[in-house]
Amino acid sequence: MNILIATNNKHKVREISQIFAGTDLETVSPSQINLSVEVEEDGNTFAENALKKARGFCEASGLICVADDSGLTVECLSGEPGVYSARYGGEGLDDKGRTQLLLKNMSGAKNRRAAFVCSVAMVFPDGRVVTAEGRCEGRIALSPSGNNGFGYDPVFVPDGYDKTFAELGEDEKNKISHRGRALEALEKKLSELGILK
Ligand code: IMP
């Protein structure tokens, strides 16, 4: 089965195609088919935004599309940055700036519990929708370390590890990450529904 990864984030394209490698799902990215689609992420939940992105790309391409919407929720910040993870601190900041802002807003905090959350949605041209969720619990380090991955990876230490996501190899991150778990759950649902053999 051929599916379009409905995102313009090249890090997500890479992670999602690696997670699906070795399954019956063949992935293609928007840039591979010269497709440019912008979907406004104005939903109140990860699930709403994932579905909106998958629908937008499906309408534009006529292909089966999978989208994720994900983010970081931090206990001592009442769940922030949450659905605003990509826009935390406003448009002017990059990944590094957002991570610094997060550390600043948490300075002195004893409770550093956090979780990455991911909703995925697969939309078919005939209108069928299959969705799934994944979560990875952990804590926010006092300072950034590691060069792999993207976003808040340099400060997120998953439970059971003493390294940040940015210090883990790609395969190791994908095994335990919110995105890896959401896509695993999606695959299971697709098999149960008989869509994936
Ligand atoms: P969106 O799903 O495109 O709205 O973006 C989610 C944002 O959450 C990203 O821009 C990152 O800031 C953050 N995020 C989501 N998943 C990850 C991850 O695996 N590592 C680090 N940051 C992530």
Side-chain angles (χ1 to χ4, degrees):
M1 194 159 83
N2 263 313
I3 54 169
L4 175 68
I5 303 176
T7 180
N8 299 314
N9 178 329
K10 62 180 191 310
H11 299 282
K12 286 188 181 181
V13 167
R14 191 178 160 90
E15 282 192 10
I16 295 171
S17 50
Q18 274 177 354
I19 291 164
F20 281 144
T23 72
D24 285 345
L25 299 169
E26 291 255 342
T27 53
V28 62
S29 68
S31 64
Q32 280 175 302
I33 57 167
N34 286 322
L35 181 75
S36 166
V37 182
E38 288 297 332
V39 177
E40 203 187 341
E41 297 181 30
D42 55 1
N44 292 317
T45 61
F46 294 114
E48 255 179 75
N49 281 332
L51 186 56
K52 201 172 172 214
K53 285 188 255 186
R55 282 213 168 108
F57 278 79
C58 183
E59 274 163 23
S61 66
L63 299 171
I64 304 169
C65 289
V66 66
D68 100 326
D69 196 63
S70 45
L72 181 68
T73 71
V74 177
E75 267 189 24
C76 70
L77 300 177
S78 312
E80 276 191 7
V83 286
Y84 303 106
S85 292
R87 288 161 282 165
Y88 193 46
E91 296 291 328
L93 296 182
D94 58 6
D95 276 354
K96 217 170 175 177
R98 281 185 281 275
T99 302
Q100 288 301 341
L101 177 66
L102 180 77
L103 290 176
K104 184 168 155 253
N105 290 345
M106 289 179 72
S107 64
K110 286 210 176 69
N111 174 7
R112 305 191 72 84
R113 297 291 308 160
F116 269 123
V117 182
C118 177
S119 284
V120 290
M122 188 173 274
V123 171
F124 294 76
D126 64 9
R128 278 175 301 164
V129 170
V130 185
T131 61
E133 310 279 329
R135 200 177 163 89
C136 180
E137 300 284 343
R139 64 187 163 81
I140 302 300
L142 292 171
S143 57
S145 2
N147 298 310
N148 301 329
F150 70 103
Y152 302 92
D153 279 349
V155 291
F156 184 79
V157 180
D159 282 351
Y161 289 76
D162 57 5
K163 287 180 180 172
T164 67
F165 262 174
E167 293 177 295
L168 295 180
E170 288 176 339
D171 287 350
E172 199 150 16
K173 177 184 171 188
N174 290 341
K175 258 187 246 160
I176 59 164
S177 79
H178 48 312
R179 192 165 298 103
R181 286 178 175 154
L183 291 170
E184 197 182 317
L186 179 74
E187 245 185 88
K188 195 162 166 250
K189 279 195 184 175
L190 293 171
S191 299
E192 283 164 6
L193 292 167
I195 296 170
L196 198 64
K197 300 286 171 280

